[in-house]
Amino acid sequence: MDKLCIIGGIPLKGEISISGAKNASLPLMVASLLSDKPLTLENLPHVEDILSMANLLATLGVKLTMEGCGTSQNAQGKVITFDASTLSSRKAPYDLVRKMRASILVLGPLLARTGYAKVSLPGGCAIGARPVNLHLKAMEKLGAEIEIEQGYVIAKAPKGLRGANIEFPVVTVGGTENALMAAVLAKGTTCLTNAAREPEIIDLANCLVSMGAKIQGIGTTKLVVEGVETLFPATHRVIPDRIETGTYMIAGAITGGSITLRNARLDTLPAFVKKLREAGVILIEEEGKIHVSVEEEGLRGVDITTAPHPGFPTDLQAQTMALLCTAKGKSSIIEAIFENRFMHVPELIRMGANISLNGNTASIKGVNRLHSAEVMATDLRASVSLVLAALVADGKTTVNRIYHLDRGYEYVEAKLRSLGAQIERLKDA
Ligand code: EPZ
């Protein structure tokens, strides 16, 4: 497996472009299943998860046509047209679903369009149990019969789905996306309450509207969908990746550097931006660019609790912890979304961090320096937090198992290198 070798201690400087959002792209790609008319998506990031989803859709019979395939970080992002008029299978097999949990999103659209779907249950995950019970309950509310057989969800609605009132007991991003897509073709009106309102959901809803869906309440916790019979061809541009944006803000700040992010938006990260500023990071937005630097007095500790949007994103928790490891004073981080999302903690401790864990709370005492070590992580955001820590650590750090990183960060080492980092990928022999 590939590794990254990083020599820390260089303040980053320069400008990079933020890619299209992975977590917006995945449901947008799936939305193509709702229609027999083509959907063109622009600004898709070149990351493994997108390839996995493309593979799954191709297995279902969707025809994919690719333009402008980017091979360098300057490429404008891939443009792919998805044509699901050739849909030929309604089964998402285990081998594809286990690679990527977001595969469960095909359930709603397949069921809504064809009255049947067979989708492998995703199984466990490195950051928590991550059940899909709320996805299934939503489909049942819309009139589907659900059975679990040999690890597969089998969902049937031979007479089609019908609108319903669905109230989510906890906020779920994927559950909201699945129900929203299914409701677009259900007969009558569907009301989703306590819906997630992440920017990725807004992006999905906007795309569905451009395909001909009727959705009200976009951006709020109550989505009202009036079912339609047919959809139209559409073209949609994926929003910039807010988690990648936040990750590079931390890369700039942790190294005491001064960097600029193009194609980035502060408004999609309200709680994160507030906490970063509280910690001493200077963030200035002008003309679609964000300038990142650090106050003269340096970084200071802050207290954080993750929460659904507009709260502090769990997907930036690990990276923020890396930042706080060298901030003056004490910090605390409460992880309130996933029960096991502290896999980076023992690795950061091996690099000299002072962190203690008590249930879902991490207490951090800032240290003057981190030092290099050989480290590895078991999920995407934990892996990148180790890269961030390595950027400021003394000496040469090796980050193992970086296939996690490749799932969600486009051209990570090229982008960091262009900011002055000493980073090298060692290919598996
Ligand atoms: C999405 O996952 C993201 N993935 C995750 O990004 C992100 O961490 C998460 O939302 C929270 O923001 C994609 O968008 C592809 P949830 P999702 O359903 O939809 C519980 C990354 O690093 N729950 O909002 O799977 C669940 O266990 C990742 O890019 C149920 O109990 O997350 C969790 O505690 C990883 N039953 C909470 O809800 C259900 O049926 C929120 O999960 C569904 C969820």
Side-chain angles (χ1 to χ4, degrees):
M1 275 174 223
D2 291 3
K3 303 170 181 184
L4 283 179
C5 289
I6 300 158
I7 297 176
I10 301 166
L12 299 186
K13 289 206 171 15
E15 185 169 316
I16 52 165
S17 187
I18 294 301
S19 304
K22 166 185 82 89
N23 287 348
S25 302
L26 295 170
L28 287 166
M29 291 166 76
V30 171
S32 68
L33 289 171
L34 286 167
S35 174
D36 60 358
K37 305 291 186 314
L39 172 64
T40 300
L41 296 176
E42 300 173 346
N43 201 32
L44 290 165
H46 188 191
V47 296
E48 278 300 317
D49 274 10
I50 297 301
L51 299 178
S52 300
M53 184 58 88
N55 201 1
L56 172 59
L57 293 175
T59 303
L60 298 174
V62 178
K63 206 170 111 205
L64 282 74
T65 316
M66 201 179 293
E67 293 165 37
C69 176
T71 51
S72 83
Q73 63 162 319
N74 296 323
Q76 278 305 298
K78 277 189 295 189
V79 179
I80 303 182
T81 297
F82 300 85
D83 176 357
S85 63
T86 48
L87 192 69
S88 55
S89 164
R90 296 179 289 176
K91 178 178 169 185
Y94 174 67
D95 268 357
L96 296 179
V97 177
R98 87 185 152 85
K99 275 197 187 157
M100 192 185 50
R101 299 182 56 83
S103 308
I104 190 72
L105 294 177
V106 303
L107 180 69
L110 281 179
L111 188 58
R113 181 158 158 216
T114 74
Y116 179 90
K118 182 171 177 179
V119 180
S120 172
L121 277 169
C125 167
I127 60 176
R130 300 183 75 186
V132 292
N133 58 320
L134 303 176
H135 298 236
L136 304 188
K137 276 205 177 116
M139 297 306 135
E140 280 178 338
K141 279 267 183 182
L142 291 166
E145 276 175 30
I146 306 268
E147 283 169 44
I148 309 289
E149 260 178 36
Q150 298 179 328
Y152 277 83
V153 178
I154 299 176
K156 294 176 193 162
K159 291 186 187 147
L161 297 176
R162 48 172 197 276
N165 289 328
I166 300 171
E167 182 168 0
F168 292 103
V170 296
V171 179
T172 159
V173 173
T176 302
E177 290 165 346
N178 228 334
L180 177 63
M181 288 190 279
V184 163
L185 295 183
K187 273 196 198 88
T189 305
T190 298
C191 182
L192 306 178
T193 44
N194 199 26
R197 51 185 156 145
E198 269 63 7
E200 294 76 18
I201 294 196
I202 298 176
D203 205 31
L204 173 64
N206 286 337
C207 175
L208 291 168
V209 167
S210 71
M211 292 165 74
K214 293 192 176 157
I215 305 172
Q216 282 175 352
I218 296 174
T220 74
T221 55
K222 184 173 169 188
L223 292 167
V224 180
V225 187
E226 200 188 309
V228 295
E229 278 182 16
T230 47
L231 296 167
F232 313 111
T235 297
H236 180 83
R237 187 169 179 82
V238 179
I239 54 169
D241 195 314
R242 67 194 170 105
I243 306 301
E244 191 197 22
T245 303
T247 302
Y248 283 106
M249 284 181 190
I250 291 177
I254 201 170
T255 60
S258 169
I259 65 169
T260 298
L261 307 175
R262 277 193 307 274
N263 305 325
R265 287 167 49 180
L266 285 187
D267 65 321
T268 54
L269 288 165
F272 175 77
V273 165
K274 187 163 173 269
K275 284 294 171 186
L276 241 55
R277 284 182 169 147
E278 212 179 303
V281 181
I282 302 170
L283 299 169
I284 298 166
E285 186 167 31
E286 49 180 17
E287 293 165 13
K289 291 184 179 182
I290 300 171
H291 305 289
V292 185
S293 57
V294 179
E295 290 176 12
E296 251 175 51
E297 305 77 54
L299 297 166
R300 50 190 173 265
V302 291
D303 297 328
I304 285 164
T305 302
T306 62
H309 192 77
F312 192 97
T314 174
D315 289 348
L316 282 168
Q317 179 259 105
Q319 301 90 314
T320 309
M321 189 180 297
L323 181 78
L324 296 175
C325 284
T326 56
K328 266 187 222 114
K330 292 182 182 169
S331 302
S332 73
I333 298 186
I334 300 175
E335 172 52 61
I337 306 285
F338 292 112
E339 63 274 24
N340 191 26
R341 209 171 196 185
F342 280 140
M343 304 298 280
H344 42 289
V345 169
E347 302 298 296
L348 289 171
I349 290 174
R350 294 181 62 244
M351 296 178 74
N354 183 342
I355 308 170
S356 57
L357 274 185
N358 183 6
N360 69 346
T361 305
S363 304
I364 304 145
K365 277 191 198 146
V367 294
N368 286 333
R369 323 189 69 82
L370 293 175
H371 51 73
S372 59
E374 186 142 348
V375 291
M376 76 169 204
T378 45
D379 82 89
L380 170 61
R381 310 303 172 187
S383 304
V384 87
S385 78
L386 301 178
V387 171
L388 293 170
L391 289 173
V392 74
D394 290 335
K396 180 166 147 185
T397 296
T398 306
V399 183
N400 290 290
R401 286 181 170 247
I402 55 156
Y403 67 86
H404 293 295
L405 269 180
D406 294 333
R407 290 187 57 174
Y409 286 93
E410 186 173 48
Y411 312 128
V412 65
E413 69 265 33
K415 286 190 182 184
L416 285 172
R417 209 177 292 125
S418 78
L419 293 172
Q422 279 204 42
I423 179 167
E424 192 190 351
R425 179 180 290 246
L426 296 185
K427 288 266 178 204
D428 193 18

